[in-house]
Amino acid sequence: MPRRYDPERRQRIIDAAIRVVGRKGIAGLSHRSVAAEADVPLGSTTYHFTTLDDLMVAALRQTNEGFAKVLADSAVLDDPGGDLATGLAHVLRNWLGGDRPGVELEYELYLAALRRPALRPVAAEWTRETARRLAARTDPVTARALLALMDGICLDVLLTGAEYDEQYTRDVLARLIDGAPS
């Protein structure tokens, strides 16, 4: 039987992996569960992604686009005269108030890098790129500190179920930015 041409199959497998992790967590991810979710033969998942780590790397790359898109859509980094603290606090509000399961999934995959070394370069790449973009409005050290602070605020909201406090976020971001060297 000739091989069926299916140029979208790899992407469907990545999308299925993201849905599986979203429903069952990292522990529920297997080639078999992804194949069933994508409605493809098991061999297709192992053809495109030899290991689960390969599949998780692809899923993490795709989910990392969530925050990057919200940040890019805000244009906060494009306005050199704008209030950076207010803009970033607003970005976090939009991100956390948007697709909450997507945000949780993004962090779950991001934090999986603690135990899965194959994911670390992707997590580091995202951190470097986001810090580089923030550094366009401040300096590199402050940009990394802003990113760490925003991550901490997001994790606090996600893990405790607390309401996101935009004014608090704006205030602490401003303290960090105002203390940055000019």
Side-chain angles (χ1 to χ4, degrees):
M1 182 173 202
R3 188 183 290 211
R4 193 177 104 186
Y5 179 68
D6 186 357
E8 306 298 319
R9 185 173 289 195
R10 183 178 191 283
Q11 185 59 51
R12 283 199 332 270
I13 292 168
I14 295 168
D15 293 342
I18 290 169
R19 288 191 304 273
V20 167
V21 172
R23 268 197 325 272
K24 300 178 181 180
I26 297 285
L29 187 70
S30 69
H31 278 104
R32 192 170 305 283
S33 65
V34 171
E37 180 71 26
D39 194 27
V40 299
L42 178 59
S44 287
T45 63
T46 57
Y47 172 80
H48 289 286
F49 304 98
T50 306
T51 68
L52 274 181
D53 282 347
D54 295 338
L55 181 54
M56 289 176 67
V57 163
L60 180 57
R61 281 192 195 287
Q62 185 166 312
T63 59
N64 276 351
E65 295 170 7
F67 181 75
K69 181 175 179 357
V70 173
L71 185 60
D73 289 350
S74 76
V76 67
L77 300 180
D78 300 330
D79 180 8
D83 182 343
L84 183 59
T86 298
L88 291 174
H90 186 75
V91 165
L92 290 185
R93 182 193 58 165
N94 289 342
W95 189 52
L96 289 168
D99 175 22
R100 181 67 171 254
V103 173
E104 292 171 358
L105 173 67
E106 190 168 337
Y107 267 105
E108 183 167 4
L109 285 167
Y110 180 68
L111 292 173
L114 291 170
R115 302 245 183 242
R116 296 186 100 95
L119 296 175
R120 290 179 187 159
V122 180
E125 175 185 300
W126 180 88
T127 301
R128 273 191 312 273
E129 176 57 23
T130 306
R132 184 194 64 74
R133 294 184 67 211
L134 287 168
R137 289 286 314 274
T138 183
D139 63 275
V141 172
T142 304
R144 287 182 57 200
L146 286 169
L147 187 55
L149 178 57
M150 292 187 303
D151 263 342
I153 290 168
C154 290
L155 283 170
D156 181 58
V157 168
L158 293 171
L159 295 173
T160 66
E163 287 293 317
Y164 173 68
D165 186 339
E166 188 170 354
Q167 186 59 50
Y168 164 79
T169 301
R170 188 236 160 277
D171 292 347
V172 296
L173 289 171
R175 285 183 185 187
L176 184 57
I177 293 164
D178 293 344
S182 300

Coordinates of all heavy atoms in Angstrom, one line a residue, residues 17-87:
A17 N -0.6 16.5 21.1 CA 0.2 16.4 22.3 C -0.1 17.5 23.3 O -0.2 17.3 24.5 CB 1.7 16.5 22.0
I18 N -0.3 18.7 22.7 CA -0.7 19.9 23.6 C -2.1 19.6 24.2 O -2.2 19.9 25.4 CB -0.7 21.2 22.7 CG1 0.8 21.5 22.4 CG2 -1.4 22.3 23.5 CD1 0.9 22.6 21.3
R19 N -3.0 19.1 23.5 CA -4.3 18.8 24.1 C -4.2 17.7 25.2 O -4.9 17.8 26.2 CB -5.3 18.3 23.0 CG -5.8 19.5 22.1 CD -6.9 19.1 21.2 NE -6.7 17.9 20.4 CZ -6.1 17.9 19.2 NH1 -5.7 19.1 18.6 NH2 -6.0 16.8 18.5
V20 N -3.4 16.7 24.9 CA -3.2 15.6 25.9 C -2.6 16.2 27.2 O -3.1 15.9 28.3 CB -2.3 14.4 25.4 CG1 -1.9 13.5 26.5 CG2 -3.1 13.7 24.3
V21 N -1.6 17.0 27.1 CA -1.0 17.6 28.3 C -2.0 18.5 28.9 O -2.0 18.6 30.2 CB 0.4 18.3 27.9 CG1 0.9 19.1 29.1 CG2 1.4 17.3 27.4
G22 N -2.7 19.2 28.2 CA -3.7 20.1 28.7 C -4.8 19.4 29.6 O -5.3 19.9 30.6
R23 N -5.2 18.2 29.1 CA -6.2 17.4 29.8 C -5.6 16.5 30.9 O -6.2 16.4 32.0 CB -6.9 16.5 28.8 CG -8.1 17.1 28.3 CD -9.0 16.0 27.6 NE -8.4 14.9 27.0 CZ -7.9 14.9 25.7 NH1 -8.1 15.9 25.0 NH2 -7.3 13.8 25.2
K24 N -4.5 15.9 30.7 CA -3.9 14.9 31.6 C -2.6 15.2 32.2 O -2.1 14.5 33.1 CB -3.7 13.6 30.8 CG -4.9 13.0 30.1 CD -4.6 11.7 29.4 CE -5.8 11.1 28.7 NZ -5.5 9.9 27.9
G25 N -2.0 16.3 31.8 CA -0.7 16.7 32.4 C 0.4 16.0 31.7 O 0.1 15.1 30.8
I26 N 1.6 16.3 32.0 CA 2.8 15.7 31.4 C 2.8 14.2 31.6 O 3.1 13.4 30.7 CB 4.1 16.3 32.0 CG1 4.2 17.7 31.7 CG2 5.3 15.5 31.5 CD1 4.6 18.1 30.3
A27 N 2.3 13.7 32.8 CA 2.3 12.3 33.1 C 1.4 11.5 32.1 O 1.6 10.3 31.9 CB 1.8 12.1 34.5
G28 N 0.4 12.2 31.5 CA -0.5 11.5 30.6 C 0.0 11.5 29.2 O -0.7 10.9 28.3
L29 N 1.2 12.0 28.9 CA 1.7 12.1 27.6 C 2.4 10.8 27.2 O 3.4 10.4 27.9 CB 2.6 13.3 27.4 CG 3.1 13.6 26.0 CD1 2.0 14.1 25.2 CD2 4.2 14.6 26.1
S30 N 2.0 10.2 26.1 CA 2.7 9.0 25.6 C 2.5 9.1 24.1 O 1.6 9.7 23.6 CB 2.2 7.7 26.2 OG 0.9 7.5 25.7
H31 N 3.4 8.3 23.4 CA 3.1 8.2 21.9 C 1.8 7.7 21.6 O 1.1 8.1 20.7 CB 4.2 7.4 21.3 CG 5.5 8.1 21.0 ND1 6.6 8.0 21.8 CD2 5.8 9.0 20.1 CE1 7.6 8.7 21.3 NE2 7.1 9.4 20.3
R32 N 1.4 6.7 22.4 CA 0.0 6.1 22.2 C -1.1 7.0 22.5 O -2.0 7.1 21.7 CB -0.1 4.8 23.2 CG -1.2 3.9 22.8 CD -1.2 2.6 23.6 NE 0.1 1.9 23.5 CZ 0.4 1.1 22.4 NH1 -0.4 1.0 21.4 NH2 1.5 0.5 22.4
S33 N -1.0 7.8 23.6 CA -2.1 8.8 23.9 C -2.2 9.9 22.8 O -3.3 10.3 22.4 CB -2.0 9.4 25.3 OG -0.8 10.2 25.4
V34 N -1.0 10.3 22.3 CA -1.0 11.3 21.3 C -1.5 10.8 19.9 O -2.3 11.4 19.2 CB 0.4 11.9 21.1 CG1 0.5 12.8 19.9 CG2 0.8 12.7 22.4
A35 N -1.1 9.5 19.6 CA -1.6 8.9 18.4 C -3.1 8.8 18.4 O -3.8 9.1 17.4 CB -1.0 7.6 18.2
A36 N -3.7 8.4 19.5 CA -5.1 8.3 19.6 C -5.8 9.6 19.5 O -6.8 9.8 18.8 CB -5.5 7.6 21.0
E37 N -5.2 10.6 20.1 CA -5.8 12.0 20.1 C -5.7 12.6 18.7 O -6.6 13.3 18.2 CB -5.1 12.9 21.1 CG -5.5 14.3 21.1 CD -6.9 14.5 21.8 OE1 -7.3 13.7 22.6 OE2 -7.6 15.5 21.4
A38 N -4.6 12.3 18.0 CA -4.4 12.9 16.6 C -5.1 12.0 15.6 O -5.2 12.4 14.4 CB -3.0 13.0 16.3
D39 N -5.6 10.8 16.0 CA -6.2 9.9 15.0 C -5.3 9.5 13.9 O -5.6 9.6 12.7 CB -7.5 10.5 14.5 CG -8.4 9.4 13.8 OD1 -8.2 8.2 14.2 OD2 -9.1 9.7 12.9
V40 N -4.0 9.1 14.4 CA -3.0 8.7 13.4 C -2.5 7.4 14.0 O -2.6 7.1 15.2 CB -1.9 9.7 13.3 CG1 -2.4 11.0 12.7 CG2 -1.1 9.9 14.6
P41 N -1.8 6.6 13.1 CA -1.2 5.3 13.6 C -0.1 5.7 14.6 O 0.6 6.7 14.4 CB -0.6 4.7 12.3 CG -1.3 5.4 11.2 CD -1.7 6.7 11.6
L42 N 0.1 4.8 15.5 CA 1.2 5.0 16.5 C 2.6 5.2 15.8 O 3.3 6.1 16.3 CB 1.3 3.7 17.4 CG 2.4 3.7 18.5 CD1 2.2 4.9 19.4 CD2 2.3 2.4 19.3
G43 N 2.8 4.5 14.7 CA 4.1 4.7 14.0 C 4.3 6.1 13.5 O 5.4 6.5 13.3
S44 N 3.2 6.8 13.3 CA 3.4 8.2 12.8 C 4.0 9.1 13.8 O 4.8 10.0 13.5 CB 2.0 8.8 12.4 OG 1.6 8.2 11.2
T45 N 3.6 8.9 15.1 CA 4.1 9.7 16.2 C 5.6 9.4 16.3 O 6.4 10.4 16.5 CB 3.4 9.5 17.5 OG1 3.6 8.2 17.9 CG2 1.9 9.8 17.4
T46 N 6.0 8.1 16.3 CA 7.4 7.8 16.5 C 8.2 8.1 15.2 O 9.4 8.3 15.3 CB 7.6 6.3 16.9 OG1 7.0 5.5 15.9 CG2 7.0 6.1 18.2
Y47 N 7.6 8.2 14.0 CA 8.3 8.6 12.8 C 8.7 10.1 12.9 O 9.8 10.5 12.6 CB 7.4 8.4 11.6 CG 8.0 8.9 10.3 CD1 8.9 8.3 9.6 CD2 7.5 10.2 9.8 CE1 9.5 8.8 8.4 CE2 8.0 10.7 8.7 CZ 9.0 10.0 8.0 OH 9.5 10.5 6.8
H48 N 7.7 10.9 13.3 CA 8.0 12.4 13.4 C 8.7 12.8 14.7 O 9.5 13.7 14.7 CB 6.7 13.1 13.3 CG 6.0 13.1 12.0 ND1 6.5 13.8 10.9 CD2 5.0 12.4 11.5 CE1 5.8 13.6 9.8 NE2 4.8 12.7 10.2
F49 N 8.5 12.0 15.7 CA 9.2 12.3 17.0 C 9.7 11.0 17.7 O 8.9 10.3 18.3 CB 8.1 13.0 18.0 CG 7.6 14.3 17.3 CD1 6.3 14.2 16.7 CD2 8.3 15.5 17.4 CE1 5.8 15.3 16.1 CE2 7.7 16.6 16.7 CZ 6.5 16.5 16.1
T50 N 10.9 10.8 17.5 CA 11.5 9.5 17.9 C 11.3 9.3 19.4 O 11.0 8.2 19.9 CB 13.0 9.5 17.6 OG1 13.2 9.8 16.2 CG2 13.6 8.1 18.0
T51 N 11.5 10.3 20.2 CA 11.3 10.2 21.7 C 10.2 11.2 22.1 O 9.8 12.1 21.4 CB 12.6 10.6 22.4 OG1 12.8 12.0 22.3 CG2 13.8 9.8 21.9
L52 N 9.7 10.9 23.3 CA 8.7 11.8 23.9 C 9.3 13.2 24.2 O 8.6 14.2 24.0 CB 8.2 11.3 25.3 CG 7.0 10.3 25.2 CD1 6.6 9.9 26.6 CD2 5.8 10.9 24.4
D53 N 10.6 13.2 24.5 CA 11.3 14.5 24.7 C 11.2 15.3 23.4 O 11.0 16.5 23.4 CB 12.7 14.3 25.1 CG 12.8 14.0 26.6 OD1 11.8 14.2 27.3 OD2 13.9 13.6 27.1
D54 N 11.4 14.7 22.2 CA 11.3 15.4 20.9 C 10.0 16.0 20.7 O 9.8 17.1 20.3 CB 11.6 14.4 19.8 CG 13.0 13.9 19.7 OD1 13.9 14.5 20.3 OD2 13.3 12.8 19.1
L55 N 8.9 15.2 21.1 CA 7.6 15.7 21.0 C 7.3 16.9 22.0 O 6.7 17.9 21.6 CB 6.6 14.5 21.2 CG 5.1 14.8 21.1 CD1 4.8 15.5 19.8 CD2 4.3 13.5 21.3
M56 N 7.8 16.7 23.2 CA 7.6 17.8 24.1 C 8.4 19.1 23.7 O 7.9 20.2 24.0 CB 8.1 17.3 25.5 CG 7.1 16.3 26.1 SD 7.7 15.7 27.7 CE 7.5 17.1 28.7
V57 N 9.5 18.9 23.1 CA 10.2 20.1 22.6 C 9.4 20.9 21.6 O 9.2 22.1 21.7 CB 11.6 19.7 22.0 CG1 12.2 20.8 21.2 CG2 12.6 19.4 23.2
A58 N 8.8 20.1 20.7 CA 8.0 20.7 19.7 C 6.7 21.4 20.3 O 6.4 22.5 19.9 CB 7.5 19.7 18.6
A59 N 6.1 20.7 21.3 CA 5.0 21.3 22.0 C 5.3 22.6 22.7 O 4.6 23.5 22.7 CB 4.3 20.2 22.9
L60 N 6.5 22.5 23.4 CA 6.9 23.7 24.2 C 7.2 24.9 23.2 O 6.8 26.0 23.5 CB 8.2 23.4 25.0 CG 8.7 24.5 25.9 CD1 7.7 25.1 26.8 CD2 10.0 24.0 26.6
R61 N 7.9 24.6 22.1 CA 8.1 25.7 21.2 C 6.8 26.3 20.7 O 6.7 27.5 20.6 CB 8.8 25.2 19.9 CG 10.3 25.0 20.1 CD 11.0 24.7 18.8 NE 12.4 24.2 19.0 CZ 13.4 24.9 19.5 NH1 13.2 26.2 19.8 NH2 14.6 24.3 19.6
Q62 N 5.8 25.5 20.5 CA 4.5 26.0 20.0 C 3.8 26.8 21.1 O 3.3 27.9 20.9 CB 3.7 24.9 19.4 CG 2.4 25.4 18.9 CD 1.7 24.4 18.0 OE1 2.3 23.7 17.2 NE2 0.4 24.2 18.3
T63 N 3.8 26.3 22.3 CA 3.1 26.9 23.4 C 3.8 28.2 23.8 O 3.1 29.2 24.3 CB 2.8 26.0 24.6 OG1 4.1 25.6 25.1 CG2 2.0 24.9 24.3
N64 N 5.1 28.3 23.7 CA 5.8 29.5 24.0 C 5.4 30.7 23.2 O 5.6 31.8 23.6 CB 7.3 29.3 23.8 CG 8.0 28.6 25.0 OD1 7.4 28.5 26.0 ND2 9.2 28.2 24.8
E65 N 4.7 30.4 22.1 CA 4.3 31.5 21.3 C 3.1 32.3 21.9 O 2.8 33.4 21.5 CB 3.8 31.0 19.9 CG 5.0 30.4 19.1 CD 4.6 29.6 17.9 OE1 3.4 29.6 17.5 OE2 5.5 29.0 17.3
G66 N 2.4 31.7 22.9 CA 1.3 32.4 23.6 C 1.7 33.7 24.2 O 1.1 34.8 23.8
F67 N 2.6 33.8 25.1 CA 3.0 35.0 25.7 C 3.7 35.9 24.7 O 3.4 37.2 24.7 CB 3.9 34.8 26.9 CG 4.3 36.1 27.6 CD1 3.4 36.7 28.4 CD2 5.6 36.6 27.4 CE1 3.8 37.9 29.0 CE2 5.9 37.8 28.0 CZ 5.0 38.5 28.8
A68 N 4.5 35.4 23.9 CA 5.2 36.2 22.9 C 4.2 36.9 22.0 O 4.4 38.1 21.6 CB 6.1 35.3 22.0
K69 N 3.1 36.3 21.6 CA 2.1 36.9 20.8 C 1.4 38.0 21.5 O 1.1 39.1 21.0 CB 1.1 35.9 20.3 CG 0.0 36.5 19.4 CD -0.9 35.4 18.8 CE -2.0 35.9 18.0 NZ -2.2 37.3 17.8
V70 N 1.0 37.8 22.8 CA 0.3 38.8 23.6 C 1.2 40.0 23.7 O 0.8 41.2 23.6 CB -0.1 38.3 24.9 CG1 -0.7 39.4 25.8 CG2 -1.2 37.2 24.8
L71 N 2.5 39.8 24.0 CA 3.5 40.9 24.1 C 3.6 41.6 22.8 O 3.6 42.9 22.8 CB 4.8 40.3 24.6 CG 5.9 41.3 24.9 CD1 5.5 42.2 26.0 CD2 7.2 40.6 25.3
A72 N 3.8 40.9 21.7 CA 3.9 41.6 20.4 C 2.7 42.4 20.0 O 2.8 43.5 19.5 CB 4.2 40.6 19.3
D73 N 1.5 41.8 20.3 CA 0.2 42.5 19.9 C 0.0 43.7 20.7 O -0.6 44.7 20.3 CB -1.0 41.5 20.1 CG -1.0 40.4 19.1 OD1 -0.3 40.5 18.1 OD2 -1.8 39.5 19.3
S74 N 0.6 43.8 21.9 CA 0.4 45.0 22.8 C 1.2 46.2 22.3 O 0.8 47.3 22.6 CB 0.9 44.7 24.2 OG 2.3 44.7 24.3
A75 N 2.3 46.0 21.6 CA 3.2 47.1 21.1 C 3.8 47.9 22.2 O 4.4 48.9 22.0 CB 2.4 48.0 20.1
V76 N 3.8 47.4 23.5 CA 4.3 48.1 24.6 C 5.9 48.3 24.4 O 6.4 49.3 24.9 CB 4.0 47.4 25.9 CG1 4.7 46.0 26.1 CG2 4.4 48.2 27.1
L77 N 6.5 47.3 23.8 CA 7.9 47.4 23.6 C 8.3 48.3 22.4 O 9.5 48.7 22.2 CB 8.6 46.1 23.4 CG 8.3 45.1 24.6 CD1 9.0 43.8 24.3 CD2 8.8 45.7 25.9
D78 N 7.3 48.7 21.6 CA 7.6 49.6 20.4 C 7.4 51.1 20.7 O 7.7 51.9 19.9 CB 6.6 49.2 19.3 CG 6.7 47.8 18.9 OD1 7.9 47.2 19.0 OD2 5.7 47.2 18.5
D79 N 7.0 51.4 21.9 CA 6.7 52.8 22.3 C 7.8 53.3 23.3 O 7.6 53.1 24.5 CB 5.3 53.0 22.9 CG 5.0 54.4 23.2 OD1 5.8 55.3 22.9 OD2 3.9 54.6 23.8
P80 N 8.9 53.9 22.8 CA 10.0 54.3 23.8 C 9.5 55.3 24.8 O 10.2 55.4 25.9 CB 11.1 54.8 22.9 CG 10.5 55.0 21.5 CD 9.2 54.2 21.5
G81 N 8.5 56.0 24.5 CA 8.0 57.1 25.5 C 6.9 56.6 26.4 O 6.5 57.3 27.3
G82 N 6.4 55.4 26.2 CA 5.3 54.9 26.9 C 5.7 54.4 28.3 O 6.9 54.2 28.6
D83 N 4.7 54.2 29.2 CA 5.0 53.7 30.5 C 5.1 52.2 30.5 O 4.1 51.5 30.4 CB 3.7 54.1 31.4 CG 3.9 53.7 32.9 OD1 4.7 52.9 33.2 OD2 3.1 54.3 33.7
L84 N 6.4 51.8 30.6 CA 6.7 50.4 30.5 C 6.0 49.5 31.6 O 5.4 48.5 31.3 CB 8.2 50.1 30.5 CG 8.7 48.7 30.3 CD1 8.2 48.1 29.0 CD2 10.2 48.7 30.4
A85 N 6.0 50.0 32.8 CA 5.4 49.2 33.9 C 3.9 49.0 33.7 O 3.4 47.9 33.8 CB 5.7 49.9 35.2
T86 N 3.2 50.1 33.3 CA 1.8 50.0 33.0 C 1.5 49.1 31.9 O 0.6 48.2 31.9 CB 1.2 51.4 32.8 OG1 1.4 52.2 33.9 CG2 -0.3 51.3 32.4
G87 N 2.3 49.2 30.8 CA 2.2 48.4 29.6 C 2.4 46.9 29.9 O 1.6 46.1 29.5

